[in-house]
Amino acid sequence: MDLSFNAEERAFQDEVRGFIARNLTEEMKRATALTPSVFSDPDIGMAWQRTLHKQGWGAPGWPVEHGGPDWTPAQRWIFETESARAGVPNVNVMGVKMVGPVIIGFGSPEQKNFYLPRILSGEDYWCQGYSEPGSGSDLSSLKTRAVRDGDDYIINGTKIWTTHAHHANRMFALVRTSDGPRQQDGISFILIDMKTPGITTRPILTIGGDHEVNQVFFDDVRVPVANRVGEEGKGWTYGKYLLEFERGSGIASAKLREGLKAIAELAESDLTGRAIDSPDIATRISEVEVDIDALEMTELRVLSALQTGQNPGAVSSILKLRNSEIRQAVTRLGADVIGHDALAVEPMRPLYKLNHEQAMPEEMLTVMPEYLNGRAYTIFGGTSEIQRDIIAKMMLGI
């Protein structure tokens, strides 16, 4: 693998840096720096999505015929890395990186023509209706049911841990349309307008005090059959395809590296009494850096495969597993670096909107919220235990 850039790629790197310098506002940059979650608030993230769309860069991983920029793996890598270094907001993750590829791969022409432009432009903001009470890691046991009634499905049930459902105007959901010997065979993939009568969203406040996730209830919600993606009963296949893209299509190492850099700078500062002088802290920083290097090499291999149209498969589980573990290691290291100052944590709300005097310097403000939020990294998107099972079955034949 040649990791050096040629003249054309260096010119593209300069183009990306120039674009970010011209368009990334100080408000966006500060908001991103003070966002403890992997999801930016829509008023920040979607503004950046619209900016990218105007440039033709709204969906780096999409085929060019659907609005993708037709980048090489090296260009994709450069874009993601420069974005992480500059501190750009996370964009329409649920739309661009999750439901978009499913609609491209399995949607009808009408669905592609309607939804894909709205995802690119930032007009639609999506949430994911997968987990349910009692159906998390065992997702195929889900009970939210869609009963056919003429040209509609009538949906009843509930979804939980639904990130940003209180912001979203669209949901992609797995629902049960039939019963059979195999639970997976009775599941369908449905696109839902969140303004449809009968939908109720209830907030869930997590350990850090933030409102990021929700429980969503469906009471006789009528959704057109035309909103089903692909065949009835094949939703489990489409849902797994989506999860492979969610887990394996991003460039996490660049953001992890920037996160570690911020913690290392704190450790070297007087704010923490030069925590870097502790052999334990210094060693752990080095160990995490090595882990990020290894993750980066795996991401490069997957990116090359994706560029040729190959699904990442089981390797996406390796990426998800290691990304979540390293994220937790970085946030745990941050909490140890600031020490007793962690007790002065601000409740996790939009920190960039706070106007009063902070209890601690701004560069320390997100350390504990990120640590608390990060406890979920090894759970959402498929638990670490499930990822290890997938790796064992698909790669080791166990």
Side-chain angles (χ1 to χ4, degrees):
M1 184 183 297
D2 185 1
L3 299 181
S4 59
F5 294 146
N6 59 34
E8 183 179 348
E9 289 161 350
R10 287 194 296 271
F12 178 73
Q13 185 177 44
D14 290 339
E15 181 184 0
V16 172
R17 288 176 177 174
F19 169 81
I20 293 173
R22 290 189 304 273
N23 292 281
L24 182 65
T25 67
E26 286 301 316
E27 179 190 15
M28 288 179 180
K29 190 171 182 177
R30 181 175 179 270
T32 304
L34 292 178
T35 298
S37 167
V38 296
F39 292 92
S40 298
D41 276 8
D43 57 338
I44 298 296
M46 298 304 276
W48 187 244
Q49 173 67 32
R50 288 189 286 272
T51 300
L52 291 174
H53 178 53
K54 289 178 183 177
Q55 180 73 8
W57 295 354
W62 288 15
V64 65
E65 62 267 26
H66 294 298
D70 197 26
W71 285 341
T72 65
Q75 288 176 308
R76 174 83 180 276
W77 176 259
I78 289 167
F79 173 77
E80 297 280 3
T81 302
E82 293 300 328
S83 295
R85 287 174 180 163
V88 307
N90 290 320
V91 293
N92 188 7
V93 176
M94 300 283 191
V96 170
K97 294 188 177 181
M98 296 171 68
V99 74
V102 172
I103 294 172
I104 289 170
F106 305 101
S108 66
E110 293 78 13
Q111 289 169 344
K112 293 174 185 177
N113 291 336
F114 181 76
Y115 291 110
L116 296 181
R118 296 168 67 95
I119 292 172
L120 284 171
S121 67
E123 186 173 353
D124 282 344
Y125 191 76
W126 290 81
C127 62
Q128 178 186 44
Y130 272 28
S131 295
E132 299 180 4
S135 296
S137 296
D138 183 20
L139 183 58
S140 65
S141 67
L142 63 87
K143 295 180 174 57
T144 295
R145 185 168 291 275
V147 177
R148 183 76 178 259
D149 181 31
D151 292 332
D152 294 331
Y153 287 113
I154 299 176
I155 301 177
N156 285 279
T158 184
K159 296 292 180 178
I160 202 166
W161 315 123
T162 313
T163 302
H164 281 198
H166 56 303
H167 295 305
N169 68 318
R170 306 270 178 198
M171 172 189 283
F172 55 91
L174 294 178
V175 297
R176 184 161 301 284
T177 47
S178 64
D179 296 300
R182 291 181 73 251
Q183 293 181 136
Q184 296 90 335
D185 293 337
I187 294 172
S188 296
F189 194 103
I190 303 286
L191 309 177
I192 301 171
D193 185 336
M194 290 292 285
K195 295 180 181 178
T196 307
I199 298 177
T200 304
T201 301
R202 180 182 298 170
I204 299 174
L205 298 184
T206 60
I207 188 172
D210 64 299
H211 178 198
E212 184 176 61
V213 294
N214 307 268
Q215 185 167 6
V216 181
F217 299 88
F218 301 88
D219 297 298
D220 291 331
V221 175
R222 189 172 286 270
V223 176
V225 172
N227 285 24
R228 186 191 70 224
V229 174
E231 299 178 47
E232 185 172 279
K234 298 291 186 181
W236 186 250
T237 298
Y238 312 142
K240 288 194 300 179
Y241 179 87
L242 180 148
L243 286 173
E244 288 180 8
F245 271 93
E246 176 191 4
R247 297 164 184 164
S249 63
I251 307 296
S253 59
K255 289 189 177 181
L256 289 172
R257 200 178 299 283
E258 292 304 307
L260 180 63
K261 179 183 175 182
I263 297 301
E265 289 174 352
L266 266 178
E268 293 169 358
S269 75
D270 292 335
L271 291 172
T272 62
R274 283 195 54 82
I276 193 68
D277 292 336
S278 162
D280 174 65
I281 295 295
T283 299
R284 286 165 60 191
I285 289 174
S286 297
E287 289 173 344
V288 173
E289 188 169 16
V290 171
D291 286 339
I292 294 172
D293 287 341
L295 179 68
E296 183 179 72
M297 292 301 102
T298 304
E299 287 177 336
L300 284 166
R301 290 194 295 270
V302 171
L303 192 59
S304 296
L306 285 170
Q307 200 72 21
T308 60
Q310 300 177 51
N311 212 20
V315 179
S316 65
S317 290
I318 296 175
L319 290 177
K320 198 281 176 180
L321 178 65
R322 291 303 294 139
N323 176 21
S324 60
E325 291 174 340
I326 296 170
R327 281 183 183 274
Q328 288 187 341
V330 171
T331 62
R332 186 164 53 247
L333 182 58
D336 289 342
V337 162
I338 69 172
H340 66 272
D341 285 325
L343 299 175
V345 60
E346 288 275 0
M348 267 187 59
R349 53 187 182 275
L351 296 175
Y352 64 93
K353 293 183 179 179
L354 296 179
N355 294 317
H356 61 76
E357 187 89 13
Q358 308 301 334
M360 62 176 66
E362 194 163 281
E363 54 265 56
M364 298 171 64
L365 200 56
T366 61
V367 172
M368 272 307 289
E370 285 178 348
Y371 170 79
L372 294 171
N373 184 266
R375 299 309 89 202
Y377 290 156
T378 50
I379 299 173
F380 67 66
T383 66
S384 293
E385 292 79 7
I386 292 296
Q387 303 316 309
R388 291 188 178 96
D389 280 350
I390 292 171
I391 293 165
K393 290 177 182 177
M394 296 183 68
M395 302 189 76
L396 303 178
I398 298 176

